[in-house]
Amino acid sequence: MSLLSLEQVSVAFGHNPLLSKISFSAEAGERVAIIGRNGAGKSTFLKVVSGEQIPDEGVVRLEGGMRIAQLPQELPEANGKTVREVVSEGAGEIHQLMTRYFKLLEDMEQDHSDELGHIQNDLDRLQGWDLEQRVNHMIQRLALPADKLMSELSGGWRRRVILAQALISAPDVLLLDEPTNHLDVPTIEWMEQQLLQFRGLILFITHDRRFLEKLANRIVELDRGNLLSFTGNINEFLVFKEKLLEEEERANALFDKRLAEEEVWIRQGIKARRTRNEGRVRALKALRVERSERIDRQGNAKMSIETKDKSGKLVAEFTQVGHAFEDKVILQPMDFMVNRGDRIGLIGPNGCGKSTFLKILLGNLEPSSGTVRQGTKLNVAYFDQLREQLDPEQTVAENVGEGKETIEINGQNKHVIGYLGDFLFPPERARTPVKALSGGERNRVLLAKLFTKPANLLIMDEPTNDLDVETLELLEELLMNYDGTLLLVSHDRAFLDNVVTSVIAFEGEGRVREYVGGYQDWIRQGGKFPTESTSQTTETKPKADTSTSDVNKPAPASKVKSKLSYKLQREFDGMPDAIANLEAEIETFQQITGAADFYSGDAQKVQDTLAKMAEKEQELETTMERWLELEEMQNG
């Protein structure tokens, strides 16, 4: 039975149709990912479901008594409320009743017995007397500092707090808009496990590809006002979508060819006009109307980074650099070197010292011990995750052009409106105040502003937040081809794996180590984040022997046997045949799905076949990883 349904719902802002007569229904147990380009209407879709946005037309139906909770895209306000207060507010009416109840109890001067009786009855009805226990349990599960003020917390911790606020009401439907933004990897992985156990309906928007792969069992894409629903995972959907786009492109090409032929006919000479077929003229007019109403698919952004002058070979060098705030050790003394062309990812829980590390490296903070030597000819560009470099009251063009109508890009003057077109901002959008933009659009503005300045040292703090998949993949490609030096702070595991060549891991108690490769390589080499208790330690003492740098020590080797047991040896010996068989099965599936009429067949059969192929591909990947693991064990 559907918990939620939308029938013929439309929403438009100006001439831009975000939702055009869409219909949708969902049931408990579904985890529906809402995907689409920035500005396609994903957040609007969630607002329609929650009741914040009244549709221009159509009907939204919710099952009676259903509770909806949501995690908004923007960070909560850094105000003077305590964490406990903010989490309690998620209980809605129960919280309000409890607040009023205790306030009346404190007022000893007047008799409030009648009102107290009504409140007690309401709390009995709502089963609200255990609110404090539920709040304490949620705070413990998320390891939240209950008595700290929101103004004292970083962005990641504030995001944790409102996640707890959303879950405290035990909702039937959970709406998540970019839930992984500002969260560190341990919290993201914890969230994945919690949401996989959620019994209700989840509608979520995310551009974290790993999170999407693990969580979604249904994909809904918003594209040019239309809704496309697909039961399955994201990889299966992308194959299906690619075929649909190819079909659409072929159909549009045939339509445009026919329209062009009719336009040639209508413009023929006097003789042709004398014998003109009026029915054909009316058909041409209809073709023109149909073409004018077609919304073409938005192109991809065009980005480039100008490096101009190269830096010196040495970018920065740490010699026994350590740092502490009062009694809390942030960095144990360490040696470290950044060379020109390095692409280094910084990973670790929120608050572990990544920002402190960067400030010391850039010379903006004096370390407690040790020395920092900076290289020569450094031109630094910095991407700020909180977008504080943008003035929300100014337009996109004013923010990027900084008051000028033209900017210099790669030695050539370019009008700022034309430049912003490369970042998918049409002229009318380029003249829009930044405060009216979506989160992904604001990130594109910051990227556009960042890339107007030549830089040979690029420091990016969570650049992937809110970006759509197409722009994210373009940014990946850009950074992989960047010939300057890159320092990247990110909790996007796929992005790290695709971009960086080494990672600096903050592993608790001020220990910092360097590993070759990306996030998955760090995991394979034995890397792990500190436990919750370790990460929450407020007083950490450095080890007595700090003469040797942690960062220059080799990564800890996995504890494996140098020789395989009989059972493992048999498993290893059978791997090549197993891999060959799986590859043969996948090749068969590829031949089936590659047939010209495959996607025109029964839709359920198409999805089943794609699901089986994806299952075999996953099995092959797992088998390959196991083979490499056993080979490494055998070689000791």
Side-chain angles (χ1 to χ4, degrees):
M1 182 176 179
S2 295
L3 290 179
L4 161 74
S5 64
L6 279 67
E7 297 176 10
Q8 297 292 295
V9 167
S10 295
V11 176
F13 296 112
H15 297 292
N16 183 24
L18 293 180
L19 308 177
S20 181
K21 295 186 179 298
I22 67 165
S23 295
F24 170 79
S25 64
E27 303 175 353
E30 289 192 291
R31 301 185 297 274
V32 185
I34 315 297
I35 66 172
R37 302 296 294 264
N38 291 143
K42 301 185 295 296
S43 295
T44 300
F45 181 87
L46 291 190
K47 288 178 180 177
V48 168
V49 171
S50 69
E52 292 178 59
Q53 175 72 48
I54 304 300
D56 300 331
E57 59 178 303
V59 179
V60 179
R61 289 193 172 89
L62 303 174
E63 182 69 20
M66 186 175 64
R67 291 190 298 272
I68 295 180
Q70 56 186 320
L71 185 68
Q73 187 179 54
E74 297 299 325
L75 283 173
E77 185 181 352
N79 54 30
K81 292 183 179 180
T82 67
V83 168
R84 184 181 300 279
E85 288 173 328
V86 175
V87 174
S88 298
E89 288 172 358
E93 185 183 358
I94 294 175
H95 168 74
Q96 295 170 9
L97 290 169
M98 291 294 288
T99 302
R100 178 64 178 165
Y101 181 81
F102 287 115
K103 187 176 181 180
L104 293 176
L105 287 179
E106 291 172 2
D107 184 6
M108 307 297 293
E109 297 181 1
Q110 298 185 41
D111 181 15
H112 299 290
S113 55
D114 288 344
E115 187 176 355
L116 284 170
H118 289 306
I119 292 175
Q120 288 175 340
N121 290 334
D122 287 339
L123 287 171
D124 288 337
R125 174 177 55 83
L126 296 170
Q127 298 180 335
W129 292 107
D130 65 342
L131 175 61
E132 186 175 358
Q133 288 178 309
R134 286 193 282 137
V135 170
N136 288 335
H137 178 64
M138 188 62 64
I139 285 173
Q140 185 178 10
R141 278 175 57 188
L142 278 147
L144 298 174
D147 299 319
K148 276 190 174 288
L149 303 179
M150 293 292 283
S151 58
E152 299 176 299
L153 301 180
S154 67
W157 282 102
R158 279 185 277 149
R159 173 69 64 173
R160 275 195 182 209
V161 172
I162 57 167
L163 173 61
Q165 185 189 71
L167 294 174
I168 198 69
S169 64
D172 302 292
V173 178
L174 194 54
L175 308 180
L176 308 174
D177 195 347
E178 295 292 353
T180 63
N181 277 5
H182 309 289
L183 291 184
D184 54 30
V185 175
T187 308
I188 292 172
E189 293 177 342
W190 175 88
M191 184 191 290
E192 288 170 350
Q193 295 305 314
Q194 296 300 313
L195 295 178
L196 285 170
Q197 298 170 23
F198 184 72
R199 301 285 184 177
L201 167 65
I202 300 175
L203 301 178
F204 70 99
I205 301 168
T206 185
H207 297 120
D208 184 320
R209 287 160 291 181
R210 293 276 168 82
F211 186 83
L212 182 59
E213 288 169 9
K214 289 188 177 181
L215 193 61
N217 56 22
R218 180 178 171 190
I219 308 296
V220 166
E221 184 189 43
L222 291 174
D223 182 15
R224 294 163 286 175
N226 298 314
L227 183 146
L228 175 64
S229 179
F230 181 89
T231 301
N233 62 42
I234 185 63
N235 294 321
E236 296 165 351
F237 170 78
L238 291 175
V239 174
F240 183 69
K241 177 66 176 180
E242 186 177 355
K243 296 294 183 183
L244 287 181
L245 288 176
E246 289 174 1
E247 267 313 309
E248 179 185 335
E249 192 174 331
R250 279 196 291 268
N252 285 343
L254 289 173
F255 179 93
D256 292 343
K257 181 181 178 182
R258 182 184 170 198
L259 176 59
E261 290 171 348
E262 294 301 293
E263 293 287 2
V264 169
W265 170 79
I266 201 71
R267 289 176 175 80
Q268 286 178 349
I270 294 172
K271 182 179 179 181
R273 285 199 292 272
R274 285 183 187 145
T275 59
R276 182 178 295 161
N277 183 323
E278 292 303 320
R280 191 171 176 181
V281 172
R282 288 193 296 272
L284 173 57
K285 289 179 180 178
L287 287 175
R288 287 172 174 171
V289 171
E290 184 178 347
R291 179 62 184 89
S292 68
E293 291 177 348
R294 183 202 302 172
I295 303 175
D296 291 322
R297 186 169 172 82
Q298 188 182 37
N300 289 326
K302 302 172 186 175
M303 304 180 192
S304 64
I305 309 174
E306 185 182 359
T307 52
K308 208 169 186 178
D309 299 326
K310 287 186 176 181
S311 67
K313 185 175 180 181
L314 175 71
V315 173
E317 183 179 19
F318 283 17
T319 303
Q320 286 298 289
V321 169
H323 196 71
F325 292 116
E326 297 178 351
D327 293 328
K328 183 175 182 179
V329 175
I330 303 298
L331 296 175
Q332 291 187 17
M334 56 180 288
D335 295 330
F336 176 61
M337 186 179 295
V338 182
N339 291 314
R340 184 179 66 224
D342 285 347
R343 296 200 301 273
I344 302 171
L346 278 68
I347 60 175
N350 289 328
C352 67
K354 299 187 294 292
S355 296
T356 301
F357 180 93
L358 290 176
K359 288 177 182 177
I360 292 173
L361 186 142
L362 293 173
N364 297 332
L365 178 66
E366 189 72 24
S368 302
S369 62
T371 58
V372 179
R373 182 162 67 103
Q374 288 190 332
T376 58
K377 301 179 182 178
L378 292 180
N379 292 317
V380 182
Y382 178 68
F383 183 99
D384 167 32
Q385 66 164 313
L386 296 180
R387 310 182 187 111
E388 292 178 350
Q389 299 172 48
L390 299 179
D391 184 342
E393 300 300 326
Q394 289 188 336
T395 67
V396 174
E398 288 168 342
N399 268 283
V400 173
E402 298 178 347
K404 297 178 291 186
E405 290 191 356
T406 60
I407 51 180
E408 185 177 329
I409 302 295
N410 293 323
Q412 295 182 344
N413 285 331
K414 193 168 186 177
H415 197 282
V416 67
I417 299 296
Y419 172 69
L420 285 168
D422 291 342
F423 288 80
L424 305 183
F425 290 104
E428 66 275 9
R429 203 62 174 164
R431 298 184 177 96
T432 301
V434 165
K435 65 182 180 182
L437 303 181
S438 68
E441 288 176 311
R442 293 185 195 184
N443 253 20
R444 286 211 309 271
V445 175
L446 191 50
L447 287 171
K449 183 180 177 73
L450 186 74
F451 295 161
T452 60
K453 298 174 175 61
N456 50 38
L457 174 57
L458 192 56
I459 296 177
M460 309 193 83
D461 192 354
E462 291 293 348
T464 64
N465 286 348
D466 305 318
L467 291 181
D468 58 46
V469 173
E470 289 87 348
T471 307
L472 188 58
E473 290 176 347
L474 180 65
L475 181 60
E476 278 182 357
E477 184 179 352
L478 185 70
L479 294 179
M480 284 189 285
N481 295 324
Y482 178 56
D483 60 2
T485 306
L486 172 67
L487 292 173
L488 172 67
V489 179
S490 181
H491 301 306
D492 187 322
R493 294 154 289 178
F495 192 75
L496 285 166
D497 284 337
N498 293 339
V499 171
V500 304
T501 55
S502 65
V503 295
I504 297 294
F506 292 73
E507 298 182 334
E509 299 182 343
R511 294 190 302 271
V512 179
R513 293 188 175 95
E514 184 177 18
Y515 293 77
V516 174
Y519 177 80
Q520 290 300 327
D521 296 303
W522 170 65
I523 295 292
R524 278 194 286 268
Q525 293 174 68
K528 61 180 180 179
F529 289 116
T531 61
E532 202 64 63
S533 58
T534 302
S535 64
Q536 294 299 314
T537 301
T538 57
E539 187 172 333
T540 308
K541 302 294 182 184
K543 294 181 180 180
D545 180 15
T546 56
S547 59
T548 305
S549 163
D550 276 338
V551 87
N552 287 323
K553 289 180 182 178
S558 301
K559 294 181 179 179
V560 294
K561 298 178 182 180
S562 58
K563 291 185 179 180
L564 297 178
S565 65
Y566 174 78
K567 183 178 178 181
L568 291 179
Q569 186 64 53
R570 288 196 63 182
E571 181 185 357
F572 179 68
D573 291 341
M575 286 288 182
D577 288 339
I579 291 170
N581 291 336
L582 286 168
E583 288 176 339
E585 289 184 69
I586 291 170
E587 186 176 352
T588 301
F589 277 118
Q590 289 173 341
Q591 290 174 355
I592 294 171
T593 59
D597 59 347
F598 174 71
Y599 286 90
S600 61
D602 180 68
Q604 187 60 50
K605 186 176 180 180
V606 168
Q607 289 196 32
D608 290 344
T609 304
L610 291 172
K612 289 176 183 177
M613 184 171 71
E615 183 182 333
K616 290 299 178 183
E617 288 172 340
Q618 181 60 51
E619 188 179 346
L620 176 61
E621 184 178 342
T622 303
T623 306
M624 290 289 289
E625 288 179 358
R626 179 61 173 166
W627 183 48
L628 292 172
E629 180 185 352
L630 292 174
E631 186 177 47
E632 185 178 347
M633 291 169 67
Q634 185 184 54
N635 295 333

